[in-house]
Amino acid sequence: MKKNTIHSTTLIEIPKITDKEGRGNLSVIEKDCLPFKIERVYYLYDVPSDAYRGGHAHKNLKQFLLPLSGSFDVILKDGENSKTVTLNKPNKGLLIVPGIWRELENFSSGAVCLVLASNVYDENDYIRDFDTFVAQKMSTP
Ligand code: TYD
């Protein structure tokens, strides 16, 4: 289990091109924007406001969460500390490094969470039990 702490999870601002004639904004994620090669893209949508997603950590996966529409909260835990990050700007996303527990909640109506991931789906990369997560973090030298 990676020793990373919640302080290694950072917000990354995506460059925004604002149209001079008032036709809105365009943001682009190019290959050097994120500190990993994107191997998978998925998105969460139609999430009820009282639902929560996540509730797991990854052993090796890096992920970048972007609120394409609306807003939601991400609760991050490293076994010792926790913090809550509200994502509500379509050009400001959250990089989550491996070894961090995350929960997503408080989705606004119509919220869409885009996830860019460093690897394909692999259930063996998940830790879905919080006590197991904490125990593994504590036993990491
Ligand atoms: P999960 O990662 O637990 O979702 P969340 O963290 O948003 O609550 O995945 C939910 C289900 O979808 C689970 O059965 C696995 C499946 N899934 C895939 O098949 N492929 C994927 O890329 C992802 C992210 C999930």
Side-chain angles (χ1 to χ4, degrees), residues 19-36:
D19 189 77
K20 293 189 187 72
E21 286 150 25
R23 297 178 305 154
N25 298 321
L26 184 157
S27 284
V28 55
I29 300 170
E30 286 188 302
K31 63 181 172 67
D32 293 333
C33 192
L34 300 179
F36 61 85

Side-chain angles (χ1 to χ4, degrees), residues 40 42 44 52-56 58 102 121 123 126 128:
R40 176 168 50 123
Y42 65 92
L44 304 170
Y52 100 102
R53 308 284 319 203
H56 61 253
H58 283 284
R102 89 290 311 274
Y121 175 72
E123 186 59 35
Y126 283 74
R128 292 191 181 273

Side-chain angles (χ1 to χ4, degrees), residues 18 56 79 81 106 108 110 130 132:
T18 302
H56 61 253
N81 296 302
N106 205 13
S108 69
F130 187 68
T132 305

Side-chain angles (χ1 to χ4, degrees), residues 3-5 8 19-20 22-23 36-37 40 48 50 55 60 69 72 79 88 90 92-93 103 108 123 126 137:
K3 198 65 191 164
N4 290 327
T5 72
S8 316
D19 189 77
K20 293 189 187 72
R23 297 178 305 154
F36 61 85
K37 189 168 173 287
R40 176 168 50 123
D50 60 351
N60 291 303
S69 178
F72 52 88
N88 56 13
K92 202 178 238 191
E103 291 156 15
S108 69
E123 186 59 35
Y126 283 74
K137 286 297 266 191

